[in-house]
């Protein structure tokens, strides 16, 4: 099969209407970033299915998912050959559709072939003028149209889509917000520890350990302008 003969369309899920061409020998679909098609959805396992190119077409295989894989509503447990228009459900919330363009491409190529049928010839003598032969006017043949269910969806640029990394939605925002909350919590805890340590040293032995110790030059610079002069032995 050629590279442009099969497309996987996301009909329902986190990235609806996305169309991915099946160009490699196999393609993996799942929730983790290491898959060829990433679908961030609670029903999708980290590595949910695998689509394999074979001599007789494409086949889908469940990779041990939690919520199961269904082809045309039937749960599959082994490698299953895909037909044009088959639906692939991942759990209850994600639906993919397999689109095979083989028949459409073949019909277009057949209509483009010139008419090579042999026409009978009429023998004539060189001494006479050959009779004029009226050539019938050939009517242009209408080009067959693809099936109606595929006319509305325009395929994107596959070369640009192949060089893009699989989209990942929802995880970056949650990680950024979680990191901000952790940073604020650590800052508040550090300030509370510093304030508690200062109060304990200030109350112990009338503050001599705090104001008359190694930090006494610091407190003289800070508190000196306010008239504070600690009584150190």
């Amino acid at each position: 099969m050629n590279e442009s003969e099969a497309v996987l369309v996301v009909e329902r899920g986190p990235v609806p209407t996305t169309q991915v061409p099946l160009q490699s020998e196999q393609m993996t679909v799942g929730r983790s970033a290491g898959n060829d098609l990433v679908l961030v959805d609670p029903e999708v396992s980290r590595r949910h299915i695998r689509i394999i190119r074979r001599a007789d077409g494409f086949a889908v295989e469940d990779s041990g998912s939690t919520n199961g894989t269904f082809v045309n509503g039937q749960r599959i447990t082994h490698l299953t050959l895909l037909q044009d228009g088959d639906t692939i459900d991942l759990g209850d919330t994600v639906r993919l559709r397999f689109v095979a363009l083989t028949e459409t491409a073949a019909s277009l190529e057949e209509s483009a072939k010139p008419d090579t049928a042999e026409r009978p010839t009429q023998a004539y003598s060189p001494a006479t003028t050959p009779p004029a032969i009226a050539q019938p006017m050939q009517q242009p043949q209408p080009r067959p149209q693809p099936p109606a269910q595929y006319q509305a969806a325009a395929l994107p640029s596959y070369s640009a889509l192949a060089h893009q990394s699989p989209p990942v939605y929802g995880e970056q925002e949650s990680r950024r917000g979680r990191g901000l909350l952790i940073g604020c919590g650590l800052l508040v805890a550090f300030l509370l520890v510093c304030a508690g340590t200062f109060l304990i040293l200030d109350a112990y032995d009338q503050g001599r350990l705090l104001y008359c110790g190694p930090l006494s030059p610091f407190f003289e610079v800070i508190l000196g302008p306010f008239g504070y002069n600690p009584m150190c032995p």
Side-chain angles (χ1 to χ4, degrees), residues 4-5 28 30 69 79 91 136 145 151 166 168 170 184 192 200 207 226:
S4 60
E5 291 181 354
T28 59
T69 303
L79 195 63
Q145 298 295 328
Q151 293 180 7
V168 179
C184 293
L192 291 176
I200 292 174
F226 298 97

Side-chain angles (χ1 to χ4, degrees), residues 10-226:
V10 181
E11 288 193 346
R12 186 176 65 221
V15 285
T17 70
T18 298
Q19 301 180 5
V20 182
L22 300 177
Q23 297 176 336
S24 58
E25 294 301 321
Q26 70 173 4
M27 173 183 178
T28 59
V29 181
R31 194 177 69 248
S32 63
N35 293 280
D36 299 311
L37 175 59
V38 179
L39 299 174
V40 182
D41 189 276
E43 292 285 325
V44 180
S45 299
R46 293 182 179 274
R47 187 182 178 94
H48 203 108
I49 62 171
R50 183 175 60 141
I51 298 179
I52 304 172
R53 179 193 293 267
R54 307 196 315 181
D56 55 349
F58 290 88
V60 61
E61 180 183 37
D62 186 87
S63 300
S65 64
T66 302
N67 297 312
T69 303
F70 303 83
V71 175
N72 297 329
Q74 300 294 326
R75 185 162 187 169
I76 62 173
T77 57
H78 56 277
L79 195 63
T80 303
L81 187 65
L82 293 172
Q83 303 294 333
D84 180 31
D86 283 353
T87 59
I88 306 173
D89 292 332
L90 310 184
D92 297 327
T93 58
V94 176
R95 169 166 291 182
L96 312 176
R97 185 174 293 276
F98 175 78
V99 179
L101 306 180
T102 307
E103 296 181 358
T104 302
S107 60
L108 293 177
E109 292 179 359
E110 186 67 23
S111 63
K113 292 181 179 179
D115 186 10
T116 57
E118 295 184 355
R119 297 185 178 89
T121 58
Q122 182 178 359
Y124 59 92
S125 173
T128 60
T129 304
I133 300 176
Q135 298 293 335
M137 182 177 296
Q138 295 183 357
Q139 298 295 331
Q141 297 293 330
R143 299 184 65 181
Q145 298 295 328
Q149 61 268 30
Y150 305 137
Q151 293 180 7
L155 298 180
S157 176
Y158 296 150
S159 60
L161 184 60
H163 291 83
Q164 295 180 357
S165 58
V168 179
Y169 303 90
E171 292 186 357
Q172 295 181 355
E173 291 77 3
S174 61
R175 291 177 180 174
R176 189 180 298 111
R178 193 182 304 115
L180 182 61
L181 291 177
I182 294 175
C184 293
L186 292 176
L187 179 60
V188 172
F190 175 75
L191 294 177
L192 291 176
V193 171
C194 292
T197 304
F198 180 81
L199 293 176
I200 292 174
L201 294 177
D202 181 71
Y204 180 75
D205 196 14
Q206 297 182 356
R208 290 187 178 91
L209 181 62
L210 179 63
Y211 302 110
C212 300
L215 298 178
S216 59
F218 172 75
F219 288 106
E220 289 178 2
V221 174
I222 298 300
L223 302 178
F226 298 97

